[in-house]
Amino acid sequence: MNKIKVLEVIRQGQIGGGESHLLDLVTFLDKEQFEPVCLAFTSGEMINRLEAMGIKCHVIDTLKPFDVKVQQQIVDLMRQEQIRLVHAHGSRAASNMVWPARKLRVPIIYTVHGWSFHDDQSWLVRTLRQWSEKLICSMADRVICVSQSNADTGRERFGLKDASVIENGINLVRFNPDGQFKNLREEFGFSADDFVAGFIARCTKQKAPLDFMEAVRVAHQRNSKVKGLFVGEGDMDAEVDAYIAEHQMSEYVYRSPFRTDVPDLLHCINVYCLPSLWEGLSIALLEAMAMGKAIVATPTDGTKEVITHEDNGLVIPYCQPQALADAILRHFEDRALYEQCGNRAHQLVDQRFNAQRVSDAVGQIYREVVK
């Protein structure tokens, strides 16, 4: 039986939510039936890790959606690798793959990791992005959404039909609260009794990093045991660094660029904060839940499907750092609630969000589309 050669495409080679999803998908995919090849539009740690697993990877440099300058390179790559199926993760990757796939008559699957349009954009930007998402979905042979809310939004905004919902999964061996972890608190300057609020995400507008910084500043003023861990990088790095310097927060906030030891990072924090403006279904959130962390998050599409307020986490309004500070302090002061939220978050992920299940479901779609 000839293996189905699948081109897994994503916009960047750095590790983020979608990239972690791709890593787990490739890890658990049935290699007897499928041969994955990866294409990213920037280099980074994800490429290094895939290559270490023996996965063939390619990088075609572009930061633009619908970039006509790279279309022929993509066509040549697909011919060279004899690709039978394309799986594009995220709108940026999909926008650069729909025309080459159509040209070569290769079926394409589009996984939506959160729509590129959202309500805080200008009318023009939102309308253009909504139109581009509709175009991509209409050209894809199958659309996968990582949350039911995403599928509902697509149906309401531009008539998306027949989308498959496959929720993200987590490698529950790697993200296991009973595992062995490095003690990073000493390295970061935290004591055993400090209450550490963690932000482990890309430093971009979507994740609202300044809301997290302001919340930690306010919470620390009210209780000096509250400290912050900020791990991530992106186009708001300079603004975050300036905020830390302006408010003299370096003594109680540890700031780090991207790191690969995410389970160790999660082990050393008490509460995971995700004040995002929009999400599909955050992989980082599920990782924190798998590790039994107390959660504070905004009600984005995927988050509101997995976090129930005062049951397995605390849900706060968008763009309200004071509410985020109050929630962090509530977890610190109400230890019964803090432990309940962590335990129930872990139980939910353990029962429902297994990466092997995701790969099996995606593999089934691969078979259906190729047939």
Side-chain angles (χ1 to χ4, degrees):
M1 173 181 173
N2 293 329
K3 295 182 181 180
I4 299 171
K5 211 166 188 181
V6 184
L7 186 63
E8 304 283 353
V9 190
I10 198 156
R11 88 172 169 168
Q12 65 175 9
Q14 290 290 353
I15 300 289
E19 293 73 26
S20 295
H21 170 84
L22 190 152
L23 278 167
D24 285 338
L25 172 63
V26 170
T27 298
F28 293 103
L29 198 62
D30 184 355
K31 305 303 191 303
E32 294 297 318
Q33 297 188 59
F34 307 107
E35 181 182 347
V37 177
C38 180
L39 168 62
F41 294 110
T42 70
S43 59
E45 178 61 25
M46 182 199 71
I47 298 296
N48 299 335
R49 288 170 63 177
L50 284 169
E51 290 180 335
M53 294 163 53
I55 304 300
K56 192 171 184 179
C57 295
H58 299 269
V59 175
I60 295 176
D61 290 311
T62 181
L63 298 176
K64 298 178 181 178
F66 299 102
D67 189 351
V68 296
K69 294 180 180 180
V70 300
Q71 301 293 294
Q72 189 58 48
Q73 292 181 65
I74 297 170
V75 169
D76 293 342
L77 169 62
M78 291 175 63
R79 284 178 171 150
Q80 170 194 328
E81 292 290 352
Q82 297 182 318
I83 297 300
R84 292 180 59 195
L85 178 65
V86 172
H87 187 177
H89 300 264
S91 58
R92 181 75 57 85
S95 72
N96 284 319
M97 293 306 303
V98 287
W99 297 114
R102 178 64 63 89
K103 178 180 178 66
L104 297 179
R105 297 183 179 179
V106 173
I108 180 170
I109 297 168
Y110 171 35
T111 288
V112 180
H113 293 279
W115 298 111
S116 60
F117 57 85
H118 39 90
D119 289 338
D120 73 325
Q121 295 166 331
S122 68
W123 176 86
L124 179 60
V125 170
R126 187 170 65 251
T127 301
L128 288 173
R129 290 197 178 185
Q130 191 168 295
W131 176 86
S132 69
E133 293 281 13
K134 180 178 181 179
L135 175 64
I136 293 168
C137 289
S138 69
M139 296 184 70
D141 294 85
R142 187 72 69 88
V143 176
I144 300 173
C145 294
V146 298
S147 70
Q148 185 61 52
S149 295
N150 269 185
D152 293 342
T153 298
R155 186 182 65 253
E156 293 163 3
R157 295 293 183 91
F158 57 83
L160 175 65
K161 296 179 180 179
D162 302 324
S164 301
V165 176
I166 303 177
E167 294 174 320
N168 285 330
I170 297 298
N171 185 333
L172 297 178
V173 175
R174 187 166 182 244
F175 292 93
N176 178 357
D178 297 323
Q180 298 295 315
F181 304 101
K182 291 184 292 184
N183 185 354
L184 297 178
R185 285 204 165 209
E186 184 175 350
E187 175 186 336
F188 297 156
F190 302 136
S191 68
D193 60 345
D194 283 335
F195 192 80
V196 182
F199 178 99
I200 306 171
R202 287 179 292 111
C203 187
T204 61
K205 178 183 178 182
Q206 174 193 355
K207 307 295 182 179
L210 293 182
D211 286 357
F212 172 76
M213 297 308 308
E214 172 65 8
V216 171
R217 187 184 71 83
V218 170
H220 180 77
Q221 287 179 338
R222 290 165 57 182
N223 190 314
S224 62
K225 287 294 182 184
V226 175
K227 298 184 178 179
L229 174 65
F230 189 112
V231 179
E233 53 195 290
D235 53 21
M236 289 186 67
D237 283 341
E239 293 173 69
V240 169
D241 290 340
Y243 191 95
I244 292 172
E246 178 185 354
H247 296 282
Q248 301 178 332
M249 299 174 67
S250 58
E251 292 186 1
Y252 59 91
V253 171
Y254 186 88
R255 169 88 159 95
S256 170
F258 167 79
R259 295 175 59 127
T260 60
D261 53 347
V262 177
D264 296 318
L265 294 170
L266 289 168
H267 177 69
C268 87
I269 69 172
N270 297 96
V271 57
Y272 179 78
C273 302
L274 189 67
S276 299
L277 302 179
W278 68 92
E279 293 282 355
L281 176 55
S282 168
I283 292 284
L285 174 69
L286 295 179
E287 291 171 347
M289 293 172 69
M291 289 288 290
K293 297 293 118 176
I295 304 295
V296 180
T298 46
T300 57
D301 274 355
T303 299
K304 65 188 179 185
E305 293 181 20
V306 297
I307 297 296
T308 301
H309 185 58
E310 297 182 341
D311 177 72
N312 63 351
L314 297 178
V315 180
I316 58 165
Y318 297 104
C319 305
Q320 293 195 21
Q322 181 64 57
L324 178 53
D326 290 343
I328 292 169
L329 288 166
R330 186 175 176 195
H331 274 310
F332 177 67
E333 294 161 359
D334 188 343
R335 289 307 172 105
L337 176 67
Y338 167 73
E339 292 179 6
Q340 170 194 299
C341 287
N343 290 335
R344 292 184 179 176
H346 168 73
Q347 290 167 7
L348 178 64
V349 172
D350 190 50
Q351 294 165 5
R352 182 171 155 190
F353 298 98
N354 189 308
Q356 182 64 66
R357 173 194 57 80
V358 174
S359 290
D360 290 345
V362 171
Q364 179 59 33
I365 288 179
Y366 287 176
R367 287 187 289 272
E368 293 171 1
V369 171
V370 169
K371 285 180 181 178

